[in-house]
Amino acid sequence: MNEVTLNNEVKIPQIALGLWKVKDEKELEGAVLEALEAGYRHFDSAQIYGNEAMLGKALKKSGAARGELFITTKLWNDNQWSGDVIPSFEESLKNLQSEYVDLFLVHFPVTETRKMAWVQMEEIYKSGKAKAIGVSNYTIKHLEGLLSWCEVKPAVNQVELHVFLQQPQLLDFCQKHGIVVEAYSPLAHGKGLDNPVLAKIAKAYGKSPAQIMIRWCVERGLVVLPKSTTPERIRENIDVFDFALTLEEMKEIEGLESDLRTCWDPTNVA
Ligand code: A2P
């Protein structure tokens, strides 16, 4: 599995199993065990997903060594108040049956509370209980605000990003500031998998359109978080390291940009 290096030298596996909307314990356990067998080591959860405890249990059951795993979780909006961040984080650790997380993210740039939340995130980072901290759903404006005063720079910004929502300015900005971008919903929730450009490129490599979407993210240096609980798809989504897109194909895919948001749009959040 390819790894990307964060701004504090922590290494992050480039493809993770996304766990958004996975609420059934058996289904989650099946997906995690399948993913581990397929070579995944990186699992992306969040307090609001309600599945941290299921993930902790599944990982324990797998017998995988903690040091081999990369676990991300995210601070939910209601827990961004100063006094709530650390207790909610401790609860996450308990759920995950772990002494630490590899990456802890502020889930959304809530206007009133995101600044006080980050101060507490920095404390957690300094305690060593989060190996890296970052944000999610931040636009350039939100990042500029944070970078103007923070002590610990965010290592990651996790945003919706796929071939139909390419976010080139945000990518440039993050690259310039040493922030790794993680692409959530890299398959646009399955929308556009029948796109003829993707189908043509997929055919040329004997791959699926989903694999082309994921490979495009890999080639842009992103960490990619496809969600699936289907065994064949879990395997398919990580099987993208044996081919490379040409410059011409990357250009063709650039033409698919259509500002398609399948999730939150933080653009107008003050
Ligand atoms: P499922 O979990 O039933 O396999 P995203 O990661 O962009 O949010 O997309 C997740 C959606 O895409 C889920 O509905 C998931 O379904 C589906 N999906 C995941 N991997 C693939 C794939 N390789 N081919 C087609 N659909 C997929």
Side-chain angles (χ1 to χ4, degrees), residues 2-14 70 132 154-156 178-181 221-223:
N2 278 21
E3 289 180 323
V4 173
T5 304
L6 302 179
N7 60 15
N8 63 352
E9 300 307 318
V10 165
K11 292 199 183 328
I12 181 168
Q14 200 171 5
F70 193 103
V156 157
I179 300 168
V180 166
V181 175
L222 305 169
V223 171

mmCIF file of all heavy atoms in Angstrom, residues 2-14 70 132 154-156 178-181 221-223:
data_model
loop_
_atom_site.group_PDB
_atom_site.id
_atom_site.type_symbol
_atom_site.label_atom_id
_atom_site.label_comp_id
_atom_site.label_asym_id
_atom_site.label_seq_id
_atom_site.Cartn_x
_atom_site.Cartn_y
_atom_site.Cartn_z
ATOM 1 N N ASN A 2 0.621 2.142 -0.940
ATOM 2 C CA ASN A 2 1.344 3.422 -0.966
ATOM 3 C C ASN A 2 1.046 4.224 0.289
ATOM 4 O O ASN A 2 -0.057 4.146 0.822
ATOM 5 C CB ASN A 2 0.862 4.260 -2.153
ATOM 6 C CG ASN A 2 1.549 3.860 -3.424
ATOM 7 O OD1 ASN A 2 2.070 2.757 -3.526
ATOM 8 N ND2 ASN A 2 1.549 4.766 -4.385
ATOM 9 N N GLU A 3 2.024 5.016 0.713
ATOM 10 C CA GLU A 3 1.800 5.901 1.857
ATOM 11 C C GLU A 3 2.116 7.338 1.459
ATOM 12 O O GLU A 3 2.923 7.589 0.564
ATOM 13 C CB GLU A 3 2.716 5.498 3.016
ATOM 14 C CG GLU A 3 2.315 4.187 3.657
ATOM 15 C CD GLU A 3 3.241 3.791 4.806
ATOM 16 O OE1 GLU A 3 4.460 4.046 4.706
ATOM 17 O OE2 GLU A 3 2.730 3.244 5.782
ATOM 18 N N VAL A 4 1.462 8.260 2.149
ATOM 19 C CA VAL A 4 1.725 9.686 1.957
ATOM 20 C C VAL A 4 2.280 10.181 3.292
ATOM 21 O O VAL A 4 1.849 9.713 4.346
ATOM 22 C CB VAL A 4 0.416 10.420 1.589
ATOM 23 C CG1 VAL A 4 0.596 11.923 1.557
ATOM 24 C CG2 VAL A 4 -0.126 9.917 0.247
ATOM 25 N N THR A 5 3.246 11.120 3.227
ATOM 26 C CA THR A 5 3.848 11.625 4.470
ATOM 27 C C THR A 5 3.196 12.951 4.852
ATOM 28 O O THR A 5 3.125 13.879 4.043
ATOM 29 C CB THR A 5 5.366 11.799 4.286
ATOM 30 O OG1 THR A 5 5.904 10.535 3.863
ATOM 31 C CG2 THR A 5 6.043 12.204 5.578
ATOM 32 N N LEU A 6 2.737 13.033 6.097
ATOM 33 C CA LEU A 6 2.101 14.264 6.586
ATOM 34 C C LEU A 6 3.156 15.276 7.031
ATOM 35 O O LEU A 6 4.340 14.933 7.143
ATOM 36 C CB LEU A 6 1.171 13.939 7.757
ATOM 37 C CG LEU A 6 0.058 12.923 7.459
ATOM 38 C CD1 LEU A 6 -0.776 12.662 8.709
ATOM 39 C CD2 LEU A 6 -0.830 13.410 6.313
ATOM 40 N N ASN A 7 2.719 16.505 7.338
ATOM 41 C CA ASN A 7 3.681 17.578 7.668
ATOM 42 C C ASN A 7 4.411 17.373 8.994
ATOM 43 O O ASN A 7 5.288 18.141 9.347
ATOM 44 C CB ASN A 7 3.016 18.965 7.600
ATOM 45 C CG ASN A 7 1.845 19.094 8.559
ATOM 46 O OD1 ASN A 7 1.685 18.281 9.471
ATOM 47 N ND2 ASN A 7 1.005 20.099 8.343
ATOM 48 N N ASN A 8 4.019 16.329 9.748
ATOM 49 C CA ASN A 8 4.777 16.009 10.972
ATOM 50 C C ASN A 8 5.488 14.663 10.835
ATOM 51 O O ASN A 8 5.815 14.029 11.844
ATOM 52 C CB ASN A 8 3.858 16.010 12.193
ATOM 53 C CG ASN A 8 2.800 14.926 12.091
ATOM 54 O OD1 ASN A 8 2.660 14.272 11.058
ATOM 55 N ND2 ASN A 8 2.060 14.721 13.157
ATOM 56 N N GLU A 9 5.642 14.228 9.567
ATOM 57 C CA GLU A 9 6.382 12.987 9.241
ATOM 58 C C GLU A 9 5.588 11.708 9.500
ATOM 59 O O GLU A 9 6.093 10.613 9.267
ATOM 60 C CB GLU A 9 7.744 12.898 9.969
ATOM 61 C CG GLU A 9 8.713 14.041 9.638
ATOM 62 C CD GLU A 9 8.935 14.225 8.150
ATOM 63 O OE1 GLU A 9 9.083 13.222 7.426
ATOM 64 O OE2 GLU A 9 8.936 15.392 7.688
ATOM 65 N N VAL A 10 4.355 11.826 10.011
ATOM 66 C CA VAL A 10 3.521 10.629 10.155
ATOM 67 C C VAL A 10 3.163 10.130 8.756
ATOM 68 O O VAL A 10 2.873 10.921 7.854
ATOM 69 C CB VAL A 10 2.235 10.957 10.960
ATOM 70 C CG1 VAL A 10 1.175 9.869 10.818
ATOM 71 C CG2 VAL A 10 2.584 11.166 12.429
ATOM 72 N N LYS A 11 3.194 8.808 8.580
ATOM 73 C CA LYS A 11 2.865 8.234 7.275
ATOM 74 C C LYS A 11 1.429 7.732 7.295
ATOM 75 O O LYS A 11 1.005 7.076 8.245
ATOM 76 C CB LYS A 11 3.823 7.096 6.950
ATOM 77 C CG LYS A 11 5.249 7.606 6.713
ATOM 78 C CD LYS A 11 6.066 6.595 5.955
ATOM 79 C CE LYS A 11 7.510 7.011 5.747
ATOM 80 N NZ LYS A 11 7.793 8.418 5.609
ATOM 81 N N ILE A 12 0.714 8.020 6.205
ATOM 82 C CA ILE A 12 -0.702 7.660 6.146
ATOM 83 C C ILE A 12 -0.945 6.797 4.899
ATOM 84 O O ILE A 12 -0.541 7.184 3.794
ATOM 85 C CB ILE A 12 -1.565 8.956 6.155
ATOM 86 C CG1 ILE A 12 -3.059 8.642 6.113
ATOM 87 C CG2 ILE A 12 -1.220 9.905 5.030
ATOM 88 C CD1 ILE A 12 -3.932 9.866 6.420
ATOM 89 N N PRO A 13 -1.546 5.618 5.059
ATOM 90 C CA PRO A 13 -1.827 4.778 3.885
ATOM 91 C C PRO A 13 -2.784 5.501 2.918
ATOM 92 O O PRO A 13 -3.772 6.103 3.352
ATOM 93 C CB PRO A 13 -2.491 3.539 4.489
ATOM 94 C CG PRO A 13 -2.089 3.537 5.933
ATOM 95 C CD PRO A 13 -1.959 4.976 6.313
ATOM 96 N N GLN A 14 -2.460 5.428 1.633
ATOM 97 C CA GLN A 14 -3.145 6.307 0.669
ATOM 98 C C GLN A 14 -4.608 5.948 0.420
ATOM 99 O O GLN A 14 -5.388 6.792 0.000
ATOM 100 C CB GLN A 14 -2.361 6.337 -0.658
ATOM 101 C CG GLN A 14 -2.715 7.555 -1.494
ATOM 102 C CD GLN A 14 -1.817 7.746 -2.689
ATOM 103 O OE1 GLN A 14 -0.949 6.919 -2.979
ATOM 104 N NE2 GLN A 14 -2.012 8.844 -3.412
ATOM 105 N N PHE A 70 -4.025 2.284 10.850
ATOM 106 C CA PHE A 70 -4.153 3.745 10.865
ATOM 107 C C PHE A 70 -5.636 4.052 11.072
ATOM 108 O O PHE A 70 -6.476 3.760 10.208
ATOM 109 C CB PHE A 70 -3.649 4.339 9.546
ATOM 110 C CG PHE A 70 -3.466 5.831 9.607
ATOM 111 C CD1 PHE A 70 -2.195 6.387 9.734
ATOM 112 C CD2 PHE A 70 -4.568 6.688 9.566
ATOM 113 C CE1 PHE A 70 -2.034 7.768 9.800
ATOM 114 C CE2 PHE A 70 -4.403 8.063 9.645
ATOM 115 C CZ PHE A 70 -3.130 8.609 9.756
ATOM 116 N N ALA A 132 -1.722 12.748 14.693
ATOM 117 C CA ALA A 132 -1.826 13.912 13.808
ATOM 118 C C ALA A 132 -3.227 14.491 13.982
ATOM 119 O O ALA A 132 -4.164 13.764 14.342
ATOM 120 C CB ALA A 132 -1.582 13.515 12.357
ATOM 121 N N PRO A 154 -2.808 22.209 10.729
ATOM 122 C CA PRO A 154 -3.522 20.965 10.384
ATOM 123 C C PRO A 154 -2.689 20.141 9.403
ATOM 124 O O PRO A 154 -2.092 20.694 8.473
ATOM 125 C CB PRO A 154 -4.820 21.452 9.743
ATOM 126 C CG PRO A 154 -4.554 22.855 9.316
ATOM 127 C CD PRO A 154 -3.509 23.403 10.241
ATOM 128 N N ALA A 155 -2.668 18.817 9.627
ATOM 129 C CA ALA A 155 -1.903 17.936 8.739
ATOM 130 C C ALA A 155 -2.733 17.545 7.529
ATOM 131 O O ALA A 155 -2.189 17.191 6.480
ATOM 132 C CB ALA A 155 -1.475 16.690 9.503
ATOM 133 N N VAL A 156 -4.065 17.618 7.686
ATOM 134 C CA VAL A 156 -4.976 17.067 6.684
ATOM 135 C C VAL A 156 -6.211 17.953 6.555
ATOM 136 O O VAL A 156 -6.647 18.552 7.532
ATOM 137 C CB VAL A 156 -5.400 15.644 7.176
ATOM 138 C CG1 VAL A 156 -6.716 15.209 6.574
ATOM 139 C CG2 VAL A 156 -4.317 14.606 6.892
ATOM 140 N N GLY A 178 1.392 22.634 2.874
ATOM 141 C CA GLY A 178 1.791 21.350 3.463
ATOM 142 C C GLY A 178 0.649 20.602 4.116
ATOM 143 O O GLY A 178 0.849 19.843 5.064
ATOM 144 N N ILE A 179 -0.564 20.812 3.605
ATOM 145 C CA ILE A 179 -1.733 20.102 4.152
ATOM 146 C C ILE A 179 -2.138 19.021 3.149
ATOM 147 O O ILE A 179 -2.409 19.329 1.982
ATOM 148 C CB ILE A 179 -2.906 21.086 4.373
ATOM 149 C CG1 ILE A 179 -2.501 22.193 5.359
ATOM 150 C CG2 ILE A 179 -4.159 20.354 4.850
ATOM 151 C CD1 ILE A 179 -3.482 23.368 5.420
ATOM 152 N N VAL A 180 -2.171 17.773 3.596
ATOM 153 C CA VAL A 180 -2.572 16.688 2.700
ATOM 154 C C VAL A 180 -4.095 16.696 2.561
ATOM 155 O O VAL A 180 -4.819 16.844 3.547
ATOM 156 C CB VAL A 180 -2.079 15.322 3.246
ATOM 157 C CG1 VAL A 180 -2.751 14.157 2.538
ATOM 158 C CG2 VAL A 180 -0.555 15.229 3.108
ATOM 159 N N VAL A 181 -4.574 16.556 1.337
ATOM 160 C CA VAL A 181 -6.022 16.526 1.106
ATOM 161 C C VAL A 181 -6.490 15.075 1.028
ATOM 162 O O VAL A 181 -5.888 14.250 0.336
ATOM 163 C CB VAL A 181 -6.392 17.291 -0.184
ATOM 164 C CG1 VAL A 181 -7.880 17.159 -0.489
ATOM 165 C CG2 VAL A 181 -6.014 18.765 -0.042
ATOM 166 N N GLY A 221 -2.121 12.709 -5.775
ATOM 167 C CA GLY A 221 -1.452 12.728 -4.466
ATOM 168 C C GLY A 221 -2.409 12.764 -3.289
ATOM 169 O O GLY A 221 -2.013 13.054 -2.160
ATOM 170 N N LEU A 222 -3.686 12.468 -3.552
ATOM 171 C CA LEU A 222 -4.684 12.526 -2.486
ATOM 172 C C LEU A 222 -4.698 11.234 -1.680
ATOM 173 O O LEU A 222 -4.327 10.171 -2.191
ATOM 174 C CB LEU A 222 -6.083 12.723 -3.104
ATOM 175 C CG LEU A 222 -6.234 13.929 -4.026
ATOM 176 C CD1 LEU A 222 -7.568 13.859 -4.775
ATOM 177 C CD2 LEU A 222 -6.169 15.201 -3.203
ATOM 178 N N VAL A 223 -5.154 11.318 -0.456
ATOM 179 C CA VAL A 223 -5.524 10.125 0.297
ATOM 180 C C VAL A 223 -7.000 9.888 -0.042
ATOM 181 O O VAL A 223 -7.798 10.826 -0.066
ATOM 182 C CB VAL A 223 -5.323 10.351 1.815
ATOM 183 C CG1 VAL A 223 -5.904 9.205 2.620
ATOM 184 C CG2 VAL A 223 -3.839 10.513 2.121
#
